[in-house]
Amino acid sequence: MASTGQVIRCKAAVAWEAGKPLVMEEVDVAPPQAMEVRVKILFTSLCHTDVYFWEAKGQTPLFPRIFGHEAGGIVESVGEGVTDLEPGDHVLPVFTGECKECRHCKSEESNMCDLLRINTDRGVMLNDGKSRFSIRGQPIYHFVGTSTFSEYTVVHVGCLAKINPAAPLDKVCVLSCGISTGLGATLNVAKPKKGSTVAIFGLGAVGLAAAEGARISGASRIIGVDLNANRFDEAKKFGVTEFVNPKDHDKPVHEVIAEMTNGGVDRSVECTGSVSAMISAFECVHDGWGVAVLVGVPNKDDAFKTHPMNILNEKTLKGTFFGNYKPRSDLPSVVEKYMNKELELEKFITHEVPFAEINKAFEFMLSGAGLRCIIKMDA
């Protein structure tokens, strides 16, 4: 291609400081170095993680920065040593990676790659410790190795899932973070049997994806737990059959659920990051076989306690990272679930805006309106 090996100048939405609207800038994107790939982003989406780090709450602020990590695009060029991708391939960039060489990648049980595991503090590429983005010579920092709020970005090859080119990127782009996280928490970790009862704590996009996983698994009852009753109608589209608002009860929510289900649910998935929800999710599963899965990310200093008898009575507590999916090995098959109409993605997408209006996506999320907003790069 004509641009291979050359700097590309393109539009990017740059965060110059915490909490301030993104600014559309002309940025220079350097060519990919060894084991890197330059990708033309066609569609990206806004996730709560982008907003959290844009607001710079609870971590080391790093600006100026190009955010964005849910996206779909096409390979423009590849760096030295890249053998399994070529220009024209359709890819999903992912905030975590799969080097295929470390102990985690070689284990069937783990997706927590030693080399490419998420690092929110790093704003540069692994290869040389430098950014591939600049404006008039000033480096602009990367975000979780993806930085998809740019028409072109450079990503480590291990953080790109090659997918079916027939899959519509404006739909499957949401699989590169939150939707896969919730879906995999249910399908890969909780593993509810057909006819089982499942409780989902938190009915945001990740929780609804967990509910979608329970629906696909054939759960007979899916109980949604949320403090916001406005979410209950929307959740019905994802298979949720019953709703519990803890504020409506004068007893602990795990007791409410135990009464509803003759001793507890078979599986629960916690998608809020709240310590009290984590405890409730664990304590509401049935003794003998109940499994609770934690998905939500807690605050740095959080801790919770539960009585050891809960463990001794054969309740199981598990955690998951990115739904236990290995990005390169497993995401292509999740895309196929969508292509086979087994998985529905359209219902997760509630807004669409052109790239020039990306700040509207932030407004939608900050106001709690809808689930995912798709940002069309060339609109």
Side-chain angles (χ1 to χ4, degrees):
M1 299 179 87
S3 55
T4 299
Q6 298 177 2
V7 170
I8 289 179
R9 182 162 289 179
C10 70
K11 288 190 175 67
V14 177
W16 287 98
E17 52 185 309
K20 296 291 173 69
L22 306 188
V23 180
M24 205 58 71
E25 302 277 12
E26 292 279 323
V27 301
D28 290 334
V29 184
Q33 297 196 9
M35 302 309 290
E36 296 174 359
V37 178
R38 191 159 57 185
V39 178
K40 178 177 172 61
I41 299 295
L42 298 186
F43 298 93
T44 187
S45 171
L46 182 64
C47 168
H48 273 285
T49 307
D50 295 306
V51 175
Y52 181 79
F53 283 92
W54 166 72
E55 291 178 323
K57 290 183 175 175
Q59 82 289 323
T60 310
L62 195 59
F63 295 94
R65 203 171 203 182
I66 297 173
F67 287 101
H69 65 282
E70 278 191 358
I74 297 176
V75 172
E76 176 270 335
S77 60
V78 301
E80 182 187 338
V82 175
T83 57
D84 52 356
L85 286 174
E86 58 186 22
D89 283 344
H90 287 218
V91 291
L92 300 182
V94 185
F95 64 90
T96 187
E98 181 185 355
C99 72
K100 297 195 174 182
E101 299 295 329
C102 70
R103 286 183 306 161
H104 285 278
C105 287
K106 289 181 175 177
S107 164
E108 291 182 6
E109 299 179 54
S110 175
N111 66 339
M112 301 186 76
C113 176
D114 279 329
L115 179 68
L116 300 169
R117 192 180 305 186
I118 184 172
N119 183 328
T120 56
D121 290 333
R122 189 193 301 126
V124 292
M125 299 301 287
L126 280 173
N127 188 52
D128 61 357
K130 294 179 181 175
S131 174
R132 301 289 171 262
F133 298 110
S134 62
I135 297 178
R136 294 177 293 279
Q138 178 187 359
I140 308 296
Y141 291 113
H142 294 250
F143 177 63
V144 296
T146 52
S147 292
T148 61
F149 294 166
S150 174
E151 291 175 326
Y152 286 86
T153 188
V154 176
V155 182
H156 191 286
V157 65
C159 298
L160 290 167
K162 180 181 174 180
I163 63 163
N164 182 344
L169 290 173
D170 60 331
K171 305 295 189 293
V172 298
C173 66
V174 299
L175 289 173
S176 60
C177 180
I179 308 309
S180 293
T181 296
L183 184 74
T186 304
L187 295 180
N188 299 335
V189 189
K191 297 180 180 174
K193 296 184 173 74
K194 190 172 183 180
S196 58
T197 55
V198 180
I200 308 291
F201 285 74
L203 299 176
V206 176
L208 292 175
E212 178 78 354
R215 182 192 69 77
I216 290 170
S217 299
S220 61
R221 295 173 70 186
I222 304 173
I223 301 167
V225 183
D226 203 292
L227 295 168
N228 182 355
N230 295 332
R231 289 177 157 178
F232 292 168
D233 264 355
E234 182 80 16
K236 291 174 185 171
K237 299 178 193 170
F238 299 82
V240 179
T241 55
E242 298 153 76
F243 302 95
V244 175
N245 186 334
K247 291 191 287 194
D248 294 343
H249 301 273
D250 54 9
K251 62 175 75 168
V253 70
H254 71 270
E255 291 181 15
V256 175
I257 292 172
E259 286 177 8
M260 292 169 65
T261 54
N262 191 25
V265 289
D266 302 309
R267 301 287 186 267
S268 71
V269 185
E270 185 285 320
C271 303
T272 71
S274 153
V275 168
S276 61
M278 292 178 187
I279 297 167
S280 298
F282 178 49
E283 296 187 350
C284 81
V285 299
H286 206 289
D287 57 8
W289 61 80
V291 178
V293 179
L294 305 186
V295 180
V297 180
N299 290 324
K300 189 171 55 144
D301 299 323
D302 279 346
F304 67 79
K305 63 179 184 179
T306 188
H307 199 283
M309 283 308 299
N310 285 318
I311 308 274
L312 296 172
N313 286 337
E314 300 178 8
K315 296 182 178 187
T316 300
L317 180 64
K318 291 185 171 187
T320 179
F321 170 70
F322 192 50
N324 277 40
Y325 287 119
K326 291 178 185 280
R328 297 161 84 183
S329 300
D330 297 334
L331 271 195
S333 64
V334 183
V335 169
E336 292 310 310
K337 280 186 193 294
Y338 169 75
M339 297 298 282
N340 298 336
K341 297 187 165 48
E342 189 182 341
L343 167 65
E344 298 168 13
L345 292 178
E346 284 80 2
K347 58 195 176 185
F348 287 99
I349 299 165
T350 49
H351 300 90
E352 293 186 22
V353 297
F355 189 32
E357 296 174 23
I358 189 170
N359 287 305
K360 277 189 182 173
F362 281 75
E363 291 167 21
F364 290 140
M365 185 157 283
L366 290 168
S367 68
L371 297 172
R372 281 295 186 263
C373 178
I374 300 296
I375 299 152
K376 187 177 182 185
M377 303 303 283
D378 59 357

